[in-house]
Amino acid sequence: MQEQLKAILESAKQNIANASTKEDIEKIRVDYLGKKGQLTGILKSMGSLSKEERPIVGKIANEVRESIETMIADAAAAVKAAEKDVKIKEETLDVTVPGTQRKLGAKHPISVTIDEITKIFMSMGFSVADGPEVETVFNNFDGLNAPQNHPSRDLTDTFYIEDQENVLLRTQTSTVQIRTLLSQEPPIKIISPGRCFRCDTPDATHSPMFHQVEGLVVGEGITMADLKGTLDAFVKKLFGPETKTKLRPHHFPFTEPSAEVDVSCFKCGGKGCSVCKGSGWIEILGAGLVHPNVLKVGGIDTEKYSGFAFGMGVERVAMLKYEIDDIRLLYENDMRFIEQFK
Ligand code: DAH
């Protein structure tokens, strides 16, 4: 029996030395120490030994069991360590391998232009007001002193919301003038960039959806000189320090007097070129002193306060600045076009 025990220890040693996985080791444990294992078999048959032999063999059997247990524990620990090493090696990050490139988009030229205009006015102390694209007829027309028969009110010019005669898609950001006059007390100094809609068939210069930036200043003693000075400072920052402004008389229902504002051509400096169509001047916005009827909507004392307002087309400014010759290019979502403005 002692020989058998020695042989078991030897074969266990061999097998454990050859084991390389957790499963191998578990199998060995069951083979030797399990209920039907080789060593267990011997221990069970010890009953047939003589009284003298039993303690001797018992001692050896225990030693063999302990050795096998220790060997198994050591082997299990070694396998675990080896597996960890493999895992660490597999998970090593090779920083020299080229990464996957993420394609970055570009800001749309309309957003770039709005941001630029906003930044300039904010530097002059204006704050930004916001208004909804779906508006009331009052905020878009009546409150702005538009006569009942004004052609822009026509169904052919304005998108009305079906079944709601008093709701429309705003045709101008001037609606924000009414909202601001109703919600703020003078002094007022705001701009409001946003989207507008008109029933226009798209062509190179028209789009049924477009953007404007509105401006409104109300305070004591505001005159045309303030309007001219403000716009002059603005265009010099937007188009360059040499830029001049020219006010031409015009008519808008919500201003009196009203003017259209031209800037000297930033491309040719006024000599005449393709951008200014040979005239040396480019029309960029409408403006004027806020009509007393409009101020009255906001309950503003027209004896004490006066104001100026202006509105410019963002597409027009962007198209001039970036020499874009067709407004439709702005809305085709063609990345080849948009990426030119990175
Ligand atoms: N709302 C006008 C338009 O869409 C632009 C405009 C002109 C706005 C004169 C103004 C203004 O505030 O004073 O054509």
Side-chain angles (χ1 to χ4, degrees), residues 101-307:
Q101 258 199 350
R102 269 175 210 276
K103 213 164 154 2
L104 268 192
K107 222 176 208 179
H108 193 281
I110 291 296
S111 302
V112 174
T113 308
I114 289 178
D115 288 354
E116 204 176 345
I117 294 171
T118 304
K119 214 168 126 193
I120 296 172
F121 280 109
M122 283 180 78
S123 77
M124 296 199 271
F126 283 71
S127 47
V128 177
D130 201 15
E133 291 163 10
V134 178
E135 260 292 7
T136 59
V137 167
F138 182 80
N139 287 347
N140 198 84
F141 291 125
D142 303 316
L144 287 163
N145 198 38
Q148 277 307 323
N149 60 354
H150 198 276
S152 63
R153 290 184 183 244
D154 283 357
L155 280 166
T156 48
D157 287 292
T158 298
F159 292 111
Y160 288 87
I161 303 296
E162 216 178 344
D163 302 331
Q164 310 234 349
E165 337 177 334
N166 282 319
V167 185
L168 44 69
L169 296 184
R170 69 176 175 191
T171 63
Q172 51 190 356
T173 45
S174 305
T175 52
V176 183
Q177 287 193 37
I178 301 300
R179 289 180 171 270
T180 307
L181 290 170
L182 287 168
S183 63
Q184 290 185 30
E185 297 292 324
I188 291 169
K189 204 171 169 188
I190 59 109
I191 58 156
S192 185
R195 212 168 275 162
C196 308
F197 307 84
R198 288 182 197 173
C199 294
D200 278 327
T201 308
D203 64 22
T205 53
H206 293 86
S207 161
M209 188 279 295
F210 57 98
H211 299 75
Q212 289 186 336
V213 176
E214 193 77 13
L216 175 68
V217 172
V218 180
E220 283 184 61
I222 300 290
T223 69
M224 264 327 241
D226 297 300
L227 170 64
K228 167 103 174 151
T230 303
L231 293 179
D232 208 56
F234 164 68
V235 299
K236 282 185 164 59
K237 282 198 184 163
L238 187 66
F239 294 115
E242 308 300 323
T243 315
K244 295 193 205 58
T245 44
K246 180 168 80 175
L247 270 63
R248 273 183 294 104
H250 198 74
H251 171 77
F252 296 105
F254 33 85
T255 43
E256 181 59 35
S258 304
E260 274 190 332
V261 180
D262 296 346
V263 292
S264 57
C265 179
F266 54 86
K267 186 84 189 288
C268 66
K271 286 199 255 349
C273 69
S274 61
V275 172
C276 59
K277 302 207 172 77
S279 75
W281 294 95
I282 301 170
E283 184 215 318
I284 61 153
L285 53 85
L289 290 188
V290 183
H291 197 291
N293 288 352
V294 177
L295 291 176
K296 278 178 200 154
V297 171
I300 286 169
D301 179 354
T302 53
E303 292 299 317
K304 188 172 177 197
Y305 296 108
S306 56

Side-chain angles (χ1 to χ4, degrees), residues 2 5-6 39 55-65:
Q2 290 184 31
L5 283 169
K6 258 190 205 158
L39 190 63
I56 299 164
V57 175
K59 191 169 172 259
I60 295 172
N62 266 335
E63 281 166 7
V64 168
R65 185 174 50 79

